Amino acid sequence: MKRVYNFSAGPSMLPEWVLNRASEEMLDYKGSGMSVMEMSHRSKAFASIIENAETSLRKLMNIPESYSVLFLQGGASTQFAMVPMNFMCKYKSADYINTGSWSKKAMTEAKLFGNVNVIASSEDKKFSYIPENYTISKDIDYVHITGNNTIEGTRFTTLPDTGDVPLVADYSSSILSEEIDVTKFGLIYAGAQKNMGPAGLTVVIIRNDLLGKHFENTPSMLRYDVQAKGKSLYNTPPCYSIYIAGLVFEWLLQLGGVKAMEKINMEKAEILYSALEESKLFTSPVNKKDRSLMNIPFMAPTDELNKKFISEAEVMGLTTLGGHASVGGLRASIYNAMPIDGVKKLAEFIRKFEKENI
Ligand SMILES: *Cc1c(COP(=O)(O)O)cnc(C)c1O
């Protein structure tokens, strides 16, 4: 068996402990005589899988009882529409901070339901920083941010002060990577395929007083109150993905929780960023203060060298290092499940490649 260090932005690596456990339980989940994939979502066994997943996530993120945890489908992209459908009803207006491609996609969907105020944007400098000076508008339903910008490699380190206005955040690419204070948010959403499990599953954490404020014609599946009331079992949920996410949560708890993970992530990011800072060949386009811990874009001076880097790295078992199609260059995504050894190997390879090509 050969395993590589996969630097993909998503879907991405899962902890080997999780994959091994899933493999052991594949044909016979805890004496049930069946796989979790074959199991009724109304069975006792599955009830405990989904309840345990929720309990673990609540522990990991310190989620108070005043918030609901939902396991939904459709990826973060469905949340781009679900958020305005459920929240934009009163003023039909919301503030968005535009920090990259995913913010823009979120805004495109919100515009279908109301007015979108772009109160700040870093598009003037190719989204290489997080804007700091902005004023929250009056008479709006919510403020939306993209907590970590997967493509551009930036992250919010200080949150906007929105007062009584609910703050909504897309944390798809950094959930569980560092501690966040859930009580600062009205709603947090994240696709699972970066730090939690298989693609398709989407986790939503919503403050309970925000349930039931949807537009009247919102379909049941897209209503947070319906999903919360049904405890994510209004219809057949993505059972197997929830099971895997539950194992990922268990793995994180064993490791010492989000605080311990954050420390490791800081260390991993530091290894790569210092390799890039020392480099005379590679550059990082991102404002130092706003750097992501999860997604690290960098580049050699020419496309030819970028391509050469990708193919030589591949041979070393360091895969999927191309930048997003929209920005080019290189990108290393080093999510929770990327072992520190993978990051060290990449930093070594960066130094070796530089010596050979400068
Ligand atoms: C990956 C990603 C998305 C899209 O997720 P899907 O599950 O493919 O819809 C949205 N926002 C951010 C920040 C992402 O990283």
Side-chain angles (χ1 to χ4, degrees):
M1 188 193 67
K2 174 188 145 208
R3 296 269 303 163
V4 296
Y5 291 118
N6 176 13
F7 293 89
S8 166
S12 48
M13 291 185 82
L14 285 166
E16 268 183 27
W17 181 86
V18 169
L19 296 174
N20 277 324
R21 178 78 179 268
S23 149
E24 282 159 21
E25 293 175 339
M26 180 60 80
L27 293 177
D28 177 11
Y29 176 77
K30 293 194 172 161
S32 64
M34 58 177 97
S35 163
V36 175
M37 264 183 268
E38 302 169 299
M39 197 175 271
S40 164
H41 60 298
R42 310 280 175 208
S43 65
K44 261 201 183 135
F46 187 74
S48 81
I49 288 173
I50 193 166
E51 279 162 22
N52 288 341
E54 178 174 337
T55 305
S56 302
L57 187 62
R58 282 185 182 276
K59 233 185 253 167
L60 285 166
M61 293 184 70
N62 211 357
I63 304 171
E65 281 308 313
S66 51
Y67 285 72
S68 296
V69 173
L70 309 177
F71 296 105
L72 307 180
Q73 312 197 42
S77 301
T78 300
Q79 294 311 307
F80 295 164
M82 242 172 116
V83 166
M85 279 174 158
N86 283 272
F87 284 175
M88 235 186 192
C89 220
K90 188 171 176 201
Y91 297 109
K92 300 191 173 50
S93 190
D95 282 359
Y96 276 69
I97 299 181
N98 179 16
T99 51
S101 317
W102 292 116
S103 307
K104 282 172 125 178
K105 287 202 163 146
M107 293 190 298
T108 302
E109 297 300 284
K111 281 177 196 162
L112 297 170
F113 302 97
N115 179 45
V116 168
N117 313 307
V118 185
I119 54 163
S121 168
S122 50
E123 196 161 17
D124 58 338
K125 289 187 183 155
K126 293 190 179 160
F127 299 118
S128 58
Y129 70 104
I130 299 290
E132 277 179 343
N133 296 316
Y134 44 82
T135 314
I136 307 297
S137 311
K138 288 217 159 57
D139 298 339
I140 50 163
D141 292 306
Y142 62 92
V143 177
H144 182 282
I145 62 165
T146 312
N148 182 76
N149 295 280
T150 325
I151 296 174
E152 297 81 5
T154 60
R155 84 189 205 279
F156 278 81
T157 49
T158 39
L159 295 172
D161 179 6
T162 62
D164 289 339
V165 180
L167 177 60
V168 174
D170 176 359
Y171 272 111
S172 293
S173 49
S174 63
I175 191 163
L176 298 172
S177 69
E178 58 182 332
E179 288 190 303
I180 54 172
D181 179 357
V182 171
T183 64
K184 294 236 154 53
F185 299 87
L187 183 146
I188 290 169
Y189 64 92
Q193 70 272 33
K194 283 127 191 179
N195 256 343
M196 293 185 288
L201 170 65
T202 317
V203 169
V204 171
I205 302 161
I206 178 173
R207 213 173 66 210
N208 289 333
D209 65 294
L210 297 171
L211 295 167
K213 296 186 185 291
H214 51 275
F215 284 104
E216 210 170 280
N217 58 356
T218 305
S220 308
M221 274 295 284
L222 301 177
R223 279 172 48 178
Y224 292 127
D225 62 334
V226 169
Q227 296 288 4
K229 187 156 173 264
K231 296 199 168 304
S232 307
L233 294 162
Y234 172 76
N235 77 326
T236 320
C239 303
Y240 197 76
S241 301
I242 293 169
Y243 157 70
I244 297 287
L247 291 181
V248 171
F249 301 155
E250 205 178 313
W251 169 79
L252 254 178
L253 283 169
Q254 284 173 20
L255 198 128
V258 176
K259 205 183 187 86
M261 190 73 250
E262 175 174 339
K263 197 163 162 272
I264 298 170
N265 285 332
M266 297 265 196
E267 212 178 312
K268 288 192 295 185
E270 182 54 34
I271 291 170
L272 266 195
Y273 283 123
S274 41
L276 294 171
E277 273 174 14
E278 286 162 21
S279 174
K280 293 188 181 65
L281 186 71
F282 295 101
T283 51
S284 152
V286 175
N287 191 24
K288 190 165 176 178
K289 185 173 95 21
D290 303 320
R291 285 166 170 175
S292 168
L293 296 177
M294 296 284 103
N295 311 97
I296 304 187
F298 57 107
M299 59 194 69
T302 65
D303 276 349
E304 204 188 327
L305 276 174
N306 287 332
K307 277 198 195 115
K308 191 172 176 215
F309 182 90
I310 293 165
S311 61
E312 288 182 9
E314 184 85 41
V315 178
M316 309 278 298
L318 308 167
T319 74
T320 337
L321 281 159
H324 189 269
S326 63
V327 292
L330 304 161
R331 173 177 51 172
S333 295
I334 51 171
Y335 297 117
N336 288 354
M338 168 63 68
I340 197 156
D341 277 348
V343 178
K344 285 184 181 159
K345 279 235 164 68
L346 178 58
E348 269 166 41
F349 179 68
I350 286 173
R351 296 196 174 97
K352 175 173 172 285
F353 187 88
E354 175 168 337
K355 266 193 207 125
E356 292 167 359
N357 290 281
I358 208 159

